[in-house]
């Protein structure tokens, strides 16, 4: 029974990934919001950023084969290739020198655009870290230290991106500032719950989420102001007194999201003879809080079902182990539900196929997970305390392993309960 549930849980995850296929998303977006023709002698610049960038660019080139620029910036390890166009790889989740070089390439293209040209931006999750473009006086190393501090503090994606926008020449409307007076058209695959376009890839084609003052307040409230490099603190303090500048308008079209993937999971569950119920399409906050919600649903459920969740939780780092938010969530559920006798399976996975700085997408656990860990000689609770969910799940054979999927619409979870 448990093996059958595990197989079905994986099929639901696969359905979520398929629904977020970036090529289909771009095709849908170009159909729903077609591009106007270029003016005489005008150029078309295709710039794709994010984990789904190569696939989005490939599809866009089918519709725009004569584009003057065709550039995709994606993460190291993405195996995608293009028949035409160029792929540049950069660091994620921590920005690196390759990303800084890619950012310079992108800024050069944008700055070259004229009023006759159009910039077509293809945006997906991960774009924020891939294009580090720090302002004058801030080094790439400083940006990396800032990113480390934001991740370790357990801030949600909107808070992190608000801060990042204030320390970047590309984020928070940077494409619009640099490309003006060219028209900008963006097709966006959302990895942000609620689909706030300002937060997806830190909003390069929309106005910023907040101000420098807001960024300072967030850093102070998270008690990491003093951990932020002095150059960034000085930049934010100087920027407090600068009034916001009105940005040129862009045409932004949302082409895919976490909710569409959850709907696909529900459809697949019905095909498999399960009774799906979407419990929460905004599962956010600390993994400990998310675990309590899921365990509560498990203990209250009295009939066979497939409970579905989607969102993006956060992890507060207290140790030096390896893992990610999906792996830690799965491990916490396994520990909390180890005494529940009815057959159950819980899957938590990132739709991009990567969870934190690991090669796993997440975890797939059941009522026997903790027993398998004990049999392997590991102390699951101790590993959890060290944020070492990867080691714990690996010992049980419960890592959710996929190749890079080429897309990203945040995380999905499935809790399957048998009679």
């Amino acid at each position: 029974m448990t093996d059958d549930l595990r197989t079905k849980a994986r099929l639901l995850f696969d359905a979520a990934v398929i629904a977020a296929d970036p090529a289909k998303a771009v095709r849908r977006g170009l159909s729903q919001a077609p591009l106007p023709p270029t003016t005489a002698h005008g150029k078309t610049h295709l710039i794709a950023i994010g984990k789904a960038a190569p696939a989005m660019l490939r599809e866009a080139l089918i519709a725009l084969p004569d584009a003057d620029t065709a550039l995709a910036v994606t993460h190291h390890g993405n195996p995608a290739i293009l028949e035409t166009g160029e792929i540049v790889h950069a660091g994620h989740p921590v920005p690196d020198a390759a990303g800084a070089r890619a950012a310079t390439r992108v800024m050069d293209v944008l700055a070259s655009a004229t009023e006759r040209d159009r910039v077509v931006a293809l945006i997906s999750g991960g774009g924020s870290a891939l294009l580090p473009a720090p302002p004058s006086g801030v080094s790439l190393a400083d940006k990396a230290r800032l990113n480390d501090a934001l991740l370790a503090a357990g801030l949600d994606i909107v808070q992190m991106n608000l801060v990042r926008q204030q320390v970047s020449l590309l984020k928070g409307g940077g494409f619009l500032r640099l490309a003006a007076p060219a028209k900008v058209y963006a097709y966006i695959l959302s990895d942000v719950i609620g689909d706030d376009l300002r937060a997806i890839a830190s909003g390069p084609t929309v106005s910023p989420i907040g101000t420098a003052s807001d960024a300072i307040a967030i850093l102070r409230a998270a008690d990491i102001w003093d951990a932020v490099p002095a150059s960034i603190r000085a930049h934010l303090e100087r920027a407090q007194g600068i009034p916001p500048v009105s940005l040129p308008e862009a045409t932004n079209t949302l082409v895919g999201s976490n909710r569409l993937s959850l709907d696909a999971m529900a459809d697949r569950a019905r095909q498999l003879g399960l009774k799906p119920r979407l419990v929460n399409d905004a599962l956010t906050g600390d993994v400990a809080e998310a675990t309590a919600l899921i365990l509560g649903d498990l203990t209250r459920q009295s009939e066979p079902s497939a409970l579905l969740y989607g969102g993006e939780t956060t992890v507060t780092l207290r140790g030096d182990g390896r893992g990610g938010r999906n792996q830690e969530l799965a491990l916490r559920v396994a520990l909390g539900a180890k005494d529940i006798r009815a057959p159950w399976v819980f899957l938590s996975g990132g739709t991009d196929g990567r969870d934190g700085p690991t090669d796993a997408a997440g975890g797939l656990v059941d009522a026997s997970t903790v027993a398998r860990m004990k049999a392997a000689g590991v102390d699951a609770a101790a590993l959890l305390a060290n944020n070492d969910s990867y080691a714990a799940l690996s010992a049980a054979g419960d890592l959710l392993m996929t190749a890079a999927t080429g897309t990203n619409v945040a995380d999905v979870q499935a809790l399957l309960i048998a009679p």
Side-chain angles (χ1 to χ4, degrees):
M1 176 63 73
T2 298
D3 287 344
D4 180 58
L5 289 180
R6 290 176 70 92
T7 297
K8 289 179 177 178
R10 178 57 191 264
L11 290 172
L12 297 189
F13 177 77
D14 292 344
V17 172
I18 291 170
D21 178 79
K24 292 179 180 177
V26 170
R27 198 177 313 138
R28 183 167 57 244
L30 288 172
S31 174
Q32 295 172 348
L35 290 165
T38 56
T39 57
H41 308 296
K43 296 180 178 180
T44 296
H45 301 291
L46 287 175
I47 301 175
I49 62 171
K51 296 177 180 178
M56 295 182 80
L57 181 60
R58 184 185 300 111
E59 184 64 27
L61 281 168
I62 294 174
L64 302 165
D66 298 324
D68 298 270
T69 303
L71 176 65
V73 182
T74 193
H75 60 88
H76 293 304
N78 188 327
I81 58 174
L82 293 175
E83 294 75 23
T84 58
E86 180 183 1
I87 299 177
V88 176
H89 294 90
H92 183 281
V94 179
D96 65 4
R101 292 191 293 271
T104 298
R105 288 275 308 280
V106 169
M107 289 190 290
D108 287 345
V109 171
L110 295 173
S112 73
T114 72
E115 70 276 1
R116 296 187 300 272
D117 301 341
R118 60 185 180 183
V119 173
V120 181
L122 308 167
I123 299 170
S124 58
S128 182
L130 292 168
L131 289 179
S136 177
V138 176
S139 69
L140 182 60
D142 291 339
K143 288 267 291 185
R145 286 174 57 198
L146 171 66
N147 200 62
D148 289 343
L150 295 173
L151 291 170
L155 298 177
D156 65 40
I157 188 64
V158 175
Q159 292 174 313
M160 286 193 289
N161 282 342
L162 186 154
V163 175
R164 289 166 173 161
Q165 287 176 349
Q166 297 301 316
V167 197
S168 173
L169 300 176
L170 282 174
K171 300 172 177 56
F175 271 46
L176 306 183
R177 287 189 290 269
L178 290 165
K183 297 292 185 183
V184 177
Y185 304 87
Y187 297 90
I188 303 170
L189 186 64
S190 173
D191 67 332
V192 173
I193 304 310
D195 302 327
D196 185 344
L197 301 187
R198 301 172 303 171
I200 304 164
S202 291
T205 63
V206 295
S207 59
I209 300 170
T211 65
S213 296
D214 295 328
I216 292 172
I218 287 172
L219 295 171
R220 290 191 183 280
D223 199 26
I224 57 173
W225 175 251
D226 292 335
V228 171
S231 65
I232 292 178
R233 296 200 304 270
H235 169 75
L236 292 173
E237 289 172 336
R238 285 194 301 269
Q240 283 187 101
I242 302 174
V245 178
S246 178
L247 293 173
E249 291 187 3
T251 300
N252 292 293
T253 303
L254 184 70
V255 298
S257 69
N258 185 266
R259 181 56 189 262
L260 290 176
S261 285
L262 289 172
D263 291 342
M265 291 176 74
D267 289 341
R268 189 70 176 105
R270 282 186 282 268
Q271 294 171 6
L272 295 171
L274 301 170
K275 295 181 178 179
R277 179 164 66 90
L278 178 55
V279 179
N280 192 329
D281 62 357
L283 191 67
T284 58
D286 190 82
V287 288
E289 298 171 1
T291 300
L293 291 173
I294 292 164
L295 291 176
D297 293 335
L298 176 57
T299 55
R300 286 190 297 269
Q301 196 67 21
S302 59
E303 62 179 7
S305 57
L307 306 184
L308 306 178
Y309 311 77
E312 188 168 282
T313 58
T314 56
V315 173
T316 300
L317 297 180
R318 298 182 177 87
D320 58 3
R322 297 178 65 213
R325 58 182 178 265
N326 289 289
Q327 293 165 66
E328 183 156 325
L329 179 57
L331 177 57
R332 286 178 177 272
V333 168
L335 286 167
K338 66 182 185 298
D339 295 326
I340 295 179
R341 297 305 177 192
W344 60 267
V345 163
F346 177 72
L347 179 149
S348 184
T351 54
D352 61 353
R354 294 177 57 172
D355 184 36
T358 75
D359 58 353
L364 175 55
V365 298
D366 58 54
S368 301
T369 290
V370 176
R372 289 195 294 274
M373 291 176 184
K374 288 181 179 178
V378 303
D379 184 336
L383 290 174
L384 176 61
N386 191 40
N387 295 115
D388 205 356
S389 52
Y390 185 94
L393 293 174
S394 178
D398 285 354
L399 288 169
L400 176 63
M401 303 297 292
T402 71
T405 64
T407 190
N408 184 22
V409 291
D411 306 332
V412 294
Q413 292 83 24
L415 175 61
L416 306 190
I417 306 167

